Amino acid sequence: MSRPRWRRRGARNEDRPGLESCDDTNVFVSGVFFSGPPYEILKAWQEGEFELVVSQEILDEYRRVGEILAEERPKIDLNPILNFVIEHAKVYQPVELSEPVCEDLDEDKFFACALASGSQVIVSGDKHLLKVSGYAGIEVLKPHEFLDRYLTEG
């Protein structure tokens, strides 16, 4: 499997106008370092199939966690990928949540970003996020569910 060259290839997919997703850190980092559904999601975003929405706090966490994995996998240069995200993802100022959403308060940043962007989807395998799927109309989908529902032809 060839890794995507980090250039934006296409315009937004006209079959799914306005599709936006806030991807949790494990989905993003897994897509960078491994194959499987997270990689396919990252590749689809790079090809313009949907819009990735993030906040500065999410970008900081992508970088922090990515750098830890990069130490174990020195052949993968994280910087071009992070720079691509900074240039092409939609960055939002997160809304202030009126109350905690997740048991793990650190995960609330994904809902705050989704609410700010108007995105109705968070992609995550995290049990704390999955448990509160549906909060404020935002669905939390596992990577394979997001692929099957929005990115798989057929």
Side-chain angles (χ1 to χ4, degrees), residues 34-52:
F34 308 106
S35 60
Y39 167 79
E40 293 300 322
I41 290 169
L42 201 55
K43 181 179 172 191
W45 168 67
Q46 184 243 345
E47 293 175 348
E49 294 293 315
F50 69 97
E51 294 294 338
L52 178 66

Side-chain angles (χ1 to χ4, degrees), residues 1-4 6 25-43 65-66 68-74 76 78 81 143 147:
M1 173 185 330
S2 65
R3 292 307 224 188
W6 292 102
T25 305
N26 288 330
V27 172
F28 174 77
V29 171
S30 293
V32 171
F33 290 96
F34 308 106
S35 60
Y39 167 79
E40 293 300 322
I41 290 169
L42 201 55
K43 181 179 172 191
V65 174
I68 291 167
L69 274 176
E71 288 177 11
E72 300 169 11
R73 292 165 182 78
I76 297 177
L78 185 65
I81 300 163
L147 278 174

Side-chain angles (χ1 to χ4, degrees), residues 44-96:
W45 168 67
Q46 184 243 345
E47 293 175 348
E49 294 293 315
F50 69 97
E51 294 294 338
L52 178 66
V53 299
V54 296
S55 65
Q56 187 59 53
E57 185 179 8
I58 292 169
L59 285 171
D60 292 344
E61 186 171 275
Y62 284 1
R63 179 175 301 282
R64 182 181 54 77
V65 174
E67 286 174 350
I68 291 167
L69 274 176
E71 288 177 11
E72 300 169 11
R73 292 165 182 78
K75 291 183 180 182
I76 297 177
D77 184 1
L78 185 65
N79 287 319
I81 300 163
L82 282 171
N83 289 337
F84 186 83
V85 171
I86 291 166
E87 290 176 25
H88 296 284
K90 292 183 174 182
V91 181
Y92 287 87
Q93 179 68 38
V95 300
E96 189 171 320

